Amino acid sequence: MSTKAPQTRISGQTILDELVRNMELGKLELAYSVLLPCIFSVYLHPEDHARLKGVQEIIRDDARRALSARMAESNKNSVFRRGGKKKQYRIAQNDWWIELFADAEGAVPPGDVEIHSELNDVVQPGYRGVKTTLIEREPSVTAARVVHDRESTRGRSPKVFAEIRYQDDSGPQTYFVTQGEVSIGRGGEDLWVDLPLYTSDEISREHARLRRDASSGRFSIVDQSRNGTWVNGRRLARGTEMELPDQAEIGIAEVVTLNFEAKR
């Protein structure tokens, strides 16, 4: 918990600062990665929530930027682990989820912000986020209420358009495609990729990009690398977009194979 004194009015900047602090407190160190919380439920006093209602979307957008910037900074300053590679700071979802709630039960005082975070949508023992408050007090919103609020706000899980199975230095992985465009590569200190591959530098920082046509549901792929991308054994011409079959083996620099399967 923080030891800051209560303030009369909560500001958007204070909420951003507390989200970043919560993320840092909730990180989980793994063998090859440092996993950061990416699901945030933010509770405010009803009067504070009402006052900020008109700018909540701006606060959420700025918060995503602030969290991404801090994650990029952490990757830049990450120390080398055994074997000569840095641990990668990452999140388990494709993007941050942030929602502001009014605490109708009155447990959160005016000028305070209470944040409950999780590392992933599916909570597992030992893989939980943290609870933090701005004012020095014990968090008061119950876990059951947080779960109910998240489920009622988020509704059904996002539609999965495709599934990508692969194995890199961090072990077997599955990536669910829920958006229209997916960047693939090693990423870097100043470069975010949707599907980060933890392996040798033969793979470019942004190696390839998948795109989905919303009208047809068909996927295409573009190679953006120096060491090449293959689809079912055929090397792609760099910079040329190629339509993907519903099932395909995508070779990334002949180092990692992505098993792609479209869902219809």
Side-chain angles (χ1 to χ4, degrees):
M1 288 187 303
S2 172
T3 58
K4 297 176 185 176
Q7 52 188 31
T8 307
R9 294 161 69 91
I10 196 78
S11 70
Q13 185 59 56
T14 299
I15 294 172
L16 265 60
D17 292 343
E18 288 301 294
L19 280 164
V20 171
R21 186 174 73 89
N22 181 286
M23 178 187 72
E24 292 176 336
L25 290 172
K27 65 186 178 184
L28 175 69
E29 191 159 347
L30 304 172
Y32 296 92
S33 308
V34 179
L35 200 59
L36 300 172
C38 60
I39 310 290
F40 298 93
S41 297
V42 181
Y43 287 88
L44 303 170
H45 185 275
E47 292 181 4
D48 289 329
H49 187 272
R51 185 169 53 82
L52 297 173
K53 187 174 182 179
V55 294
Q56 284 188 23
E57 188 54 48
I58 297 173
I59 292 173
R60 282 193 290 266
D61 185 57
D62 275 14
R64 292 185 189 98
R65 295 185 183 190
L67 293 166
S68 295
R70 182 55 62 92
M71 183 167 65
E73 182 183 346
S74 297
N75 278 317
K76 182 178 180 180
N77 298 325
S78 177
V79 297
F80 283 90
R81 64 174 175 83
R82 208 158 134 192
K85 291 185 180 179
K86 290 183 176 182
K87 285 192 175 182
Q88 185 85 9
Y89 285 74
R90 63 188 296 192
I91 57 177
Q93 301 290 314
N94 296 338
D95 198 1
W96 313 94
W97 182 85
I98 304 154
E99 189 59 61
L100 278 62
F101 297 101
D103 176 30
E105 296 181 8
V108 178
D112 194 11
V113 52
E114 180 170 327
I115 301 175
H116 293 241
S117 65
E118 295 292 350
L119 292 160
N120 203 347
D121 260 338
V122 181
V123 180
Q124 299 177 18
Y127 286 77
R128 299 192 66 86
V130 293
K131 307 172 187 177
T132 56
T133 62
L134 174 64
I135 299 172
E136 186 179 3
R137 65 178 181 84
E138 286 296 323
S140 50
V141 179
T142 65
R145 196 163 138 223
V146 172
V147 170
H148 174 270
D149 289 343
R150 281 182 186 154
E151 288 179 349
S152 61
T153 303
R154 302 190 76 181
R156 294 184 303 172
S157 299
K159 180 176 175 56
V160 175
F161 299 122
E163 182 176 316
I164 300 173
R165 298 179 304 280
Y166 64 96
Q167 182 163 331
D168 61 6
D169 288 355
S170 59
Q173 303 290 338
T174 301
Y175 181 88
F176 297 104
V177 180
T178 59
Q179 69 269 43
E181 194 163 310
V182 177
S183 54
I184 302 167
R186 287 186 296 110
E189 298 170 358
D190 56 350
L191 179 65
W192 167 270
V193 292
D194 301 300
L195 200 168
L197 299 173
Y198 304 107
T199 182
S200 73
D201 57 10
E202 292 180 51
I203 291 178
S204 299
R205 297 204 307 158
E206 185 171 1
H207 197 98
R209 186 173 286 267
L210 295 180
R211 295 192 179 99
R212 179 181 180 272
D213 183 272
S215 59
S216 67
R218 305 292 300 181
F219 279 88
S220 60
I221 185 170
V222 178
D223 173 58
Q224 302 178 147
S225 70
R226 65 181 186 276
N227 289 327
T229 300
W230 284 256
V231 174
N232 293 336
R234 173 188 170 190
R235 183 165 183 169
L236 306 182
R238 184 173 180 178
T240 301
E241 193 162 359
M242 172 189 168
E243 186 173 304
L244 272 176
D246 284 349
Q247 291 186 325
E249 286 190 354
I250 303 171
I252 304 295
E254 296 186 299
V255 174
V256 173
T257 298
L258 309 179
N259 293 289
F260 170 87
E261 182 179 355
K263 303 293 184 183
R264 296 188 181 280

